[in-house]
Amino acid sequence: MSFQSLFLAEEDTRNKEQLKRDLEELEFQLYRMQDNMKEIARKWQVIGIDQTKEDSWVIVYKEKDEDSCKIMLYECDTAFRGEWDFSIHAKYEDNDTIFIGDIKGPTNKGYGSICMKHLKEVAKEQNIQYITGDIAERDWDHVDRLVHFYEKHNFEVDIDQHNKCGEIICRPFTEES
């Protein structure tokens, strides 16, 4: 047997072992997701299962009353203990508008994009014409990141650099949203 054949045989064995480990991990994640979904569904409405840009599975759920809507996300890497990993807090301004009051959670994991997608779906289901919000002075240390995030999700962003504030607006029914 040549060195190349031996190398390919070892590589094939490693690939099979890696595939087996990956399959076992996926199976474990599936069981964990099932348990987490049962726990979350006891108190909130599960509205989706998604995958982050890092290929982690997350459960998306909402809490809604007549005045507010909170889109929450939990990554299924551990057992659910009642706390979300990411959340968009919004309130109903009127029959046509949802106002984003706060976005909470870690950055650069894809959580915000997943929650924003689901907030837009909720708005469409309820025939909400606008999703709005503001950018406050407290956001100024990360304003560039916020502008990028909102523009990526087809919001119009109006920034007042002098007064360190801004406004956002999105029409969830438009084609590009």
Side-chain angles (χ1 to χ4, degrees):
M1 182 179 267
S2 72
F3 178 73
Q4 185 177 11
S5 297
L6 183 60
F7 177 76
L8 290 174
E10 286 178 16
E11 186 175 326
D12 189 43
T13 301
R14 280 194 303 263
N15 288 342
K16 286 179 183 176
E17 291 171 4
Q18 183 61 45
L19 281 173
K20 185 178 179 192
R21 283 193 300 271
D22 290 349
L23 184 60
E24 288 170 354
E25 175 62 24
L26 186 59
E27 186 176 17
F28 183 71
Q29 284 180 14
L30 181 60
Y31 286 125
R32 187 182 309 123
M33 188 185 316
Q34 240 177 344
D35 288 342
N36 288 346
M37 195 169 317
K38 287 176 190 173
E39 288 300 313
I40 291 169
R42 290 178 189 196
K43 187 172 180 182
W44 298 281
Q45 181 183 354
V46 174
I47 57 175
I49 296 171
D50 233 309
Q51 208 168 9
T52 68
K53 62 185 181 181
E54 297 169 350
D55 294 330
S56 298
W57 288 100
V58 295
I59 298 171
V60 183
Y61 53 106
K62 73 177 178 178
E63 179 177 80
K64 178 183 164 304
D65 59 35
E66 60 190 46
D67 298 323
S68 65
C69 178
K70 189 186 315 182
I71 306 295
M72 299 165 284
L73 174 149
Y74 186 75
E75 186 172 343
C76 292
D77 58 347
T78 60
F80 182 72
R81 301 283 184 240
E83 298 289 324
W84 44 261
D85 289 318
F86 193 92
S87 180
I88 295 179
H89 300 246
K91 65 180 182 173
Y92 295 99
E93 294 273 289
D94 54 43
N95 291 335
D96 292 332
T97 307
I98 294 178
F99 179 87
I100 297 173
D102 206 355
I103 297 177
K104 299 178 179 185
T107 60
N108 298 320
K109 295 184 75 111
Y111 293 168
S113 292
I114 291 169
C115 286
M116 185 60 72
K117 176 182 81 170
H118 287 279
L119 179 63
K120 286 180 174 186
E121 288 175 5
V122 167
K124 287 178 183 178
E125 289 169 6
Q126 297 174 4
N127 204 26
I128 301 289
Q129 300 299 309
Y130 303 98
I131 300 174
T132 64
D134 58 20
I135 296 175
E137 187 172 349
R138 72 175 181 272
D139 300 319
W140 222 249
D141 64 333
H142 57 278
V143 72
D144 292 339
R145 189 175 39 125
L146 284 174
V147 168
H148 171 76
F149 173 77
Y150 286 121
E151 287 179 345
K152 178 171 81 170
H153 293 285
N154 301 307
F155 279 76
E156 294 173 23
V157 181
D158 183 25
I159 295 292
D160 179 346
Q161 294 285 349
H162 178 71
N163 292 313
K164 295 186 177 179
C165 62
E167 295 180 344
I168 61 165
I169 186 167
C170 179
R171 294 170 183 83
F173 287 107
T174 61
E175 286 293 318
E176 64 273 359
S177 294

